């Protein structure tokens, strides 16, 4: 049931009234370099922010054993963050509406080479409509929007008429174990919304992601006897070609996967990092390659991982060097299945109305080829999982930035969505 | 003129008499992990060893400006060692014979992965005829042989009847600038002998060596937009293929180069080290490859370096990604020409007789495909430069080791060589 037009306009105006403060808060988040493992201060900052607003608070760490026992658990490594997960809880006077989770993640991906950035990566500089910085779009603007959408209701004396969990997680960029831990902890609701930078569209289908490291070892020799020795870097290069074949084969199957048929290249295999050898004059005895590959929804990480291992092993068996030095594959991060948001849910209908009221055009949906925490809610909580957020540029890249006018629009849409989904009641005196 | 058979036998016996001590001294050297930049304590140890024997001592550091101005100077980098060079000087009572330089280097190459070694890399463990350890063969056994060949003469009351410089350098494994600095410092003689592990053979011809780093940069993006971005690791992989073409072309020219026609693969290009990207899920914005390539004697490093730069640039111009992100080539180590030891020198004849007396077979010569400091003496001092040393296994590799019976034989040959080349006189009371 649509919102009353007068109320709708008051909510839209209230978001605008708080928007300067929302931008300043977003800048505070961007200025904290919350790289993997370094999210402790930002999660504490978020804890204080929510507590100061009067939310009931919960804070917990990941339970490695429980995550590893769950089919949606990704792989741990030495780099896995142990920063806490923070939940702020709003409970209404009367539980009249539908409950909601507003999730964000505050971990960010590495900055890349600083000298390629126009400004320092954590500057949060604003130029025209754009706020720059690693994580500005992915997803500190969204994390702020979760809080300020609720603030906008309060500003006009309203609050959701249902329980709302504001959940701030880590490890979204590497395992997705933070979101999974909220599920294992028992948090659930009638729907979830995650304002990732999705260009004001709703994610209809989302790939799964696997991370793995290929490890090649081989006996090194003096370069003068190179023919007799083994070159681990050259061996690794040959394995990259095998991975590219797997990628091509998987892309060739796109016709079998609804929502992916029209995509040019739905499956991306990224050779993200390579390290090998000790110096120029020694034949390298080792080479490690860190890879990320996507899989279609409906395929388990287990099954895709098995195919990768088998095809690498088959190639290695007929390679002179690799057959004597079989490469090792270590799954060391994402081990996550994709999901499809089935059309027709009430939650999507409510978001559609909110979007149209805030933005003036029908809500579009699309397939996205990156990992999303919504998979936890879609696959395990089994609730409508809405991923929807602002316009961005260069996420994970150089000069990442987010459109501030878009942040305002999606915050308005979120506030309207909350008001209609949860219902509203007066803030108690 | 051959040595008197009685004297010859006394010298051979004297080397044997001192050999237990020589092995123990070699082990002391092997146990010091004198990696690049970490040769300070071992050079000080060698300084004390020579001073305690009564040699006049000199010690000096490299003169970067002088080295860079010399055509034989290799390139400096942040990794360049600043350990001193040590010279022990023997002066005879009467300068009757021909002077000699006995050179060694005490820097060693990286150990590689420790878990591949049977024992820790600096154990100096002896098993049967073999002493194991990084640097045992290359060339701490030779460094000890220089000192103990002279000791063997002293043990029977004799010393060279000409000036002998015992020179211990660093940077042999990365630039060759240590040997060049001895030349720039003014050290020279009528011949030089360097007991590198050459399987009891004499080096007839030796390649030149260049080190360079290929640097690829490119704008990174989120993997979901990978097609739009640039992958520096993939770009680097394509450049490796160009380098392999250069290598093949240079090997195809072997017929034009005396001493190289019969070699299966005289030119080795080694991709020694690779590093790129930040983590699995970001498209890598950078990749550096450290390479080492050899060149035929008679070709300048300058000329070979120019060809490499031109061919990389030509390829890059027609590559979609690399043309927008031209790779950079930084020469960061060896920039050294090769040499040929012309047959027929007196020094070679004397070594031939010494070898035959100690080892019982004619001295063979061969082409070696690794850098040697003898190039400085051949090209710039312009003196007979003899590179000749013990049997080894796996130099620069895992479980490097040197044959102790061979070390004894070549020390005997060296003592006989010194006695005949320099002549002998009684040690003064």
């Amino acid at each position: 049931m649509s919102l009353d037009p007068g109320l709708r306009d008051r909510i839209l105006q209230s978001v605008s009234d708080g928007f300067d403060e929302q931008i300043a808060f977003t800048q505070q988040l961007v200025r904290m370099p919350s790289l993997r493992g370094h999210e402790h201060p930002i999660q504490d900052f978020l804890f204080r922010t929510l507590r100061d607003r009067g939310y009931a608070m919960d804070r917990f760490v990941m339970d490695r054993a429980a995550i590893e026992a769950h089919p949606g658990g990704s792989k741990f490594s030495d780099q896995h963050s142990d920063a806490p997960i923070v939940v702020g809880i709003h409970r209404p006077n009367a539980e009249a509406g539908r409950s909601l989770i507003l999730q964000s993640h505050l971990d960010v991906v590495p900055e890349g080479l600083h000298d390629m950035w126009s400004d320092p990566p954590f500057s949060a500089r604003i130029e025209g409509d754009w706020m720059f910085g690693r994580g500005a779009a992915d997803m500190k603007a969204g994390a702020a929007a979760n809080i300020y959408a609720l603030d906008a209701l309060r500003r006009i004396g309203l609050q959701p008429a249902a329980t709302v969990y504001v959940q701030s997680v880590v490890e979204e960029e590497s395992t997705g174990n933070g979101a999974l831990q909220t599920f294992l902890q028992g948090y659930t609701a009638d729907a979830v919304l995650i304002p990732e930078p999705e260009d004001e569209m709703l994610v209809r289908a989302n790939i799964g992601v696997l991370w793995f490291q290929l490890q090649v070892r081989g006996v090194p020799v003096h370069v003068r006897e190179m023919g007799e020795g083994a070159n681990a870097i050259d061996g690794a290069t040959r394995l990259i070609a095998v991975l590219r074949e797997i990628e091509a084969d998987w892309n060739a199957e796109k016709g079998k996967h609804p929502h992916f048929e029209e995509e040019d290249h739905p499956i991306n295999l990224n050779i993200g990092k390579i390290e090998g050898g000790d110096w120029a004059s020694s034949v390298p005895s080792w080479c490690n390659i860190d890879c990320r590959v996507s899989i279609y929804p409906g395929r388990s990480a287990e099954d895709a991982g098995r195919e990768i291992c088998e095809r690498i092993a088959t190639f290695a068996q007929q390679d002179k060097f690799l057959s004597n030095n079989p490469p090792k594959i270590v799954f060391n991060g994402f081990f996550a299945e994709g999901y499809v948001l089935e059309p027709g849910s009430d939650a999507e209908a409510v978001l559609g109305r909110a979007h149209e009221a805030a933005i003036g055009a029908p809500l579009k949906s699309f397939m996205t080829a990156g990992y999303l925490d919504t998979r936890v809610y879609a696959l395990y909580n089994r609730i409508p999982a809405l991923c929807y957020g602002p316009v961005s540029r260069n996420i994970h890249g150089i000069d990442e930035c987010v459109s501030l006018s878009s942040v305002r629009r999606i915050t308005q849409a979120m506030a309207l969505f909350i008001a209609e989904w949860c219902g509203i009641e007066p803030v108690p005196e």
Side-chain angles (χ1 to χ4, degrees), chain A residues 272-419:
Chain A
K273 184 173 174 180
I274 189 166
E275 276 188 303
D278 301 304
W279 79 350
S281 271
S282 298
V283 178
S285 62
W286 64 280
C287 187
N288 296 336
I289 313 175
D290 286 291
C291 307
R292 172 269 190 206
V293 71
S294 45
I295 55 175
Y296 296 108
R299 184 176 197 186
S300 72
E302 198 75 40
D303 185 57
R306 194 181 311 117
E307 179 179 343
I308 293 165
C309 290
E310 283 170 4
R311 291 180 68 167
I312 289 290
T314 301
F315 177 84
Q317 277 160 18
Q318 60 201 12
D319 182 276
K320 192 179 161 196
F321 163 51
L322 296 170
S323 58
N324 288 315
N325 302 275
K328 207 170 141 186
I329 298 182
V330 177
F331 293 93
N332 59 359
F334 284 124
F335 205 70
E337 205 174 315
Y339 75 93
V340 171
L341 173 70
E342 292 304 336
S345 71
D346 245 27
E348 182 175 339
V350 174
L351 183 64
R353 283 193 288 276
H355 174 87
E356 195 148 0
I359 293 175
L363 177 60
K364 288 185 195 161
S365 66
F366 76 127
M367 186 289 290
T368 181
Y371 168 86
L372 292 172
D373 268 348
T374 24
R375 62 108 196 182
V376 169
Y377 302 94
L379 297 173
Y380 310 118
N381 299 64
R382 297 179 174 275
I383 58 176
L386 308 174
C387 190
Y388 164 84
V391 172
S392 70
R393 287 184 191 155
N394 308 327
I395 62 168
H396 293 212
I398 298 297
D399 290 343
E400 172 179 346
C401 57
V402 66
S403 161
L404 295 177
S405 57
S406 177
V407 172
R408 182 197 304 234
R409 288 190 295 271
I410 68 101
T411 308
Q412 289 174 322
M414 287 167 68
L416 295 177
F417 171 77
I418 295 165

Side-chain angles (χ1 to χ4, degrees), chain A residues 18 20 70 102 141-142 151 186 200 226 232 234 253 262 281 290 293 339 372 381 416:
Chain A
D20 284 349
H70 190 277
L102 296 171
D151 281 4
E200 303 183 353
M226 209 167 67
D234 284 341
E253 289 168 14
E262 304 302 315
S281 271
D290 286 291
V293 71
Y339 75 93
L372 292 172
N381 299 64
L416 295 177

Side-chain angles (χ1 to χ4, degrees), chain A residues 46-55 57:
Chain A
L46 209 85
F47 181 91
R48 292 191 298 270
T49 298
L50 293 169
R51 190 191 52 190
D52 291 351
R53 279 164 166 76
Y55 294 108
M57 296 306 300

Side-chain angles (χ1 to χ4, degrees), chain A residues 153-216:
Chain A
L153 298 179
R154 277 198 198 195
R155 191 175 291 106
I156 53 175
L158 300 173
Q159 64 180 18
T163 294
V164 177
Y165 301 113
V166 181
Q167 301 184 170
S168 177
V169 309
V170 298
E171 280 287 326
E172 193 274 347
E173 298 289 7
S174 38
T175 61
N177 285 340
L180 184 63
Q181 185 64 41
T182 68
F183 169 74
L184 293 171
Q185 207 76 15
Y187 283 98
T188 195
D190 295 320
V192 62
L193 191 153
I194 304 183
E196 289 272 11
E198 302 297 355
D199 289 340
E200 303 183 353
M201 293 188 285
L202 177 65
V203 174
R204 174 66 63 208
N206 176 238
I207 50 82
V209 175
L210 278 76
W211 271 18
F212 58 95
Q213 185 176 71
L214 263 179
Q215 300 176 343
V216 181

Side-chain angles (χ1 to χ4, degrees), chain A residues 102-117:
Chain A
L102 296 171
Q103 198 214 273
S104 66
H105 69 85
L106 287 179
D107 54 315
V108 299
V109 305
E111 317 90 280
L113 295 179
H114 285 214
D115 61 11
M116 297 178 84
W117 284 73

